[in-house]
Amino acid sequence: MAIDMNNFTSNQAEVAATYSEKKLRIGIIGTGGISTSHIKAYLNQPDVEIVAGCDLIEGKAQKKLESLGVEGAKYFTDYKEMVDTVEMDAVSVCTYNCTHAECTIYALEHGINVLLEKPFTVTLDEAVEVMKAEKKSGKIVSVGFQPRFDANMQMIKKIVQSGELGRVYYVQTGGGRRHGIPVSWSETFIEGDKAGLGALGDIGCYSIDLVMNALGNPKPLTVTGTATDYFGTTPEAYSQVGKPECAKKFSVDDFASAYIRLEGGIILDFRIAWYMHLDTPGDTIIMGTKGSLRVPSTDCWNGSFSKPMTIYHDVAGVPTTTTVPLLPATTDLWDRKIRSFLDACINGTKAPVPTDEIIYNQAILDGISRSSKLGREVEIEIPKI
């Protein structure tokens, strides 16, 4: 029987927001580039007041928030002082990767909900500590994977969960930029003491979440991985942005690949790059016993994609391909991300992108890093929380 194409229309129905009767008091910890999207989306909500901002650099938080139209907020260079002295319902943590855990845990310990930018943390141990603090506090942590709110990204999960592909046994995913080490507006992405992870944590976590979310987040069991820096340590890699001095600062990965065994007999074949002599390391492919799905590659996976997906299957014994119509890209991803977080805070419901799902993403990132350093396969063990 042919596939019912009605299955591939958008089911992204508008969900009514639960607006608070009083203003939700929001703080911003870290006012670098990504904070702009957080701030703008908060300002689009009628029941939000941004009451505080914090950044290590004196005056940076005030300059950022006021430039975006925030008035009357208090400003700090120490996030602990901000949390200790300003009454807040929630904070966005937009700091360096290496400080995600400490900022989030401190906020939770003081009864504050957290919207945490991706990646979850740098190590699995840090992620576990965050989850322990979350459980103890009774508050929520939602991790910043806004692609989950895109109609086409949601269609991938819908196809996989529908059973159209049968039992999934092999997944290939990844992506990358031909020339795209992110130093044009900030060099902290390439510094190991701040970022902790390079391409892995910047865009690799997106492609992993793309497939793990579609699969229902099966537990990762083992990882064989590599993480290299062949390009980032060369001045030539920065010729397009005119920053050859960045080669001396580079201390993270610019390429990573891995072979991951997941629960249920699923193999995940992964690769990601900030810089490579190739247009793409491959499309995302989800292979099943009844059919396979091809998702066209992008350089980041942090939004949508611009080409239709294809299902390969047999109809009456004849090899057939079915093109899945491309849905209009969801243009308000950040508003949906912020609103869903706020609604969960108001209603006391589960975080929209919960830590008990993203812990598997973090375990894979951690496993790749450990495997690369040890030069062998490693087992993944996630303690019960």
Side-chain angles (χ1 to χ4, degrees), residues 209-235:
D209 188 62
L210 162 75
V211 294
M212 288 293 286
N213 186 42
L215 294 171
N217 293 291
K219 183 180 179 181
L221 305 175
T222 65
V223 175
T224 300
T226 59
T228 57
D229 61 356
Y230 296 128
F231 296 99
T233 54
T234 64

Side-chain angles (χ1 to χ4, degrees), residues 175-238:
R177 305 165 184 158
R178 188 166 179 174
H179 288 180
I181 298 176
V183 295
S184 58
W185 53 272
S186 174
E187 296 173 12
T188 58
F189 281 95
I190 66 171
E191 298 173 308
D193 63 340
K194 297 180 178 68
L197 301 168
L200 262 176
D202 180 32
I203 54 178
C205 64
Y206 277 133
S207 61
I208 291 172
D209 188 62
L210 162 75
V211 294
M212 288 293 286
N213 186 42
L215 294 171
N217 293 291
K219 183 180 179 181
L221 305 175
T222 65
V223 175
T224 300
T226 59
T228 57
D229 61 356
Y230 296 128
F231 296 99
T233 54
T234 64
E236 292 77 15
Y238 309 96

Side-chain angles (χ1 to χ4, degrees), residues 74-260:
K74 295 181 179 179
Y75 299 102
F76 302 84
T77 55
D78 182 345
Y79 74 88
K80 291 183 178 180
E81 183 184 359
M82 184 179 92
V83 170
D84 290 344
T85 59
V86 181
E87 194 172 352
M88 294 177 291
D89 299 294
V91 294
S92 275
V93 173
C94 306
T95 60
Y96 308 138
N97 299 344
C98 288
T99 58
H100 278 189
E102 64 175 80
C103 294
T104 300
I105 290 171
Y106 198 79
L108 290 169
E109 289 175 342
H110 289 74
I112 299 172
N113 298 294
V114 180
L115 178 56
L116 174 60
E117 253 312 312
K118 60 81 193 168
F120 188 169
T121 54
V122 174
T123 69
L124 177 58
D125 287 344
E126 288 175 334
V128 169
E129 291 306 307
V130 169
M131 291 183 70
K132 288 179 179 177
E134 180 185 19
K135 183 177 181 180
K136 184 177 180 180
S137 71
K139 298 299 178 179
I140 63 168
V141 177
S142 189
V143 188
F145 286 91
Q146 67 276 1
R148 286 195 179 197
F149 299 93
D150 177 73
N152 288 294
M153 295 292 189
Q154 291 177 351
M155 184 57 65
I156 298 170
K157 183 173 184 177
K158 184 177 179 182
I159 292 170
V160 173
Q161 296 295 318
S162 73
E164 293 285 359
L165 307 181
R167 177 181 175 180
V168 173
Y169 59 90
Y170 174 84
V171 178
Q172 169 187 298
T173 195
R177 305 165 184 158
R178 188 166 179 174
H179 288 180
I181 298 176
V183 295
S184 58
W185 53 272
S186 174
E187 296 173 12
T188 58
F189 281 95
I190 66 171
E191 298 173 308
D193 63 340
K194 297 180 178 68
L197 301 168
L200 262 176
D202 180 32
I203 54 178
C205 64
Y206 277 133
S207 61
I208 291 172
D209 188 62
L210 162 75
V211 294
M212 288 293 286
N213 186 42
L215 294 171
N217 293 291
K219 183 180 179 181
L221 305 175
T222 65
V223 175
T224 300
T226 59
T228 57
D229 61 356
Y230 296 128
F231 296 99
T233 54
T234 64
E236 292 77 15
Y238 309 96
S239 59
Q240 292 182 333
V241 293
K243 290 188 172 184
E245 68 277 7
C246 286
K248 295 181 179 180
K249 298 181 180 180
F250 195 90
S251 49
V252 291
D253 58 277
D254 57 38
F255 174 80
S257 63
Y259 189 82
I260 304 136

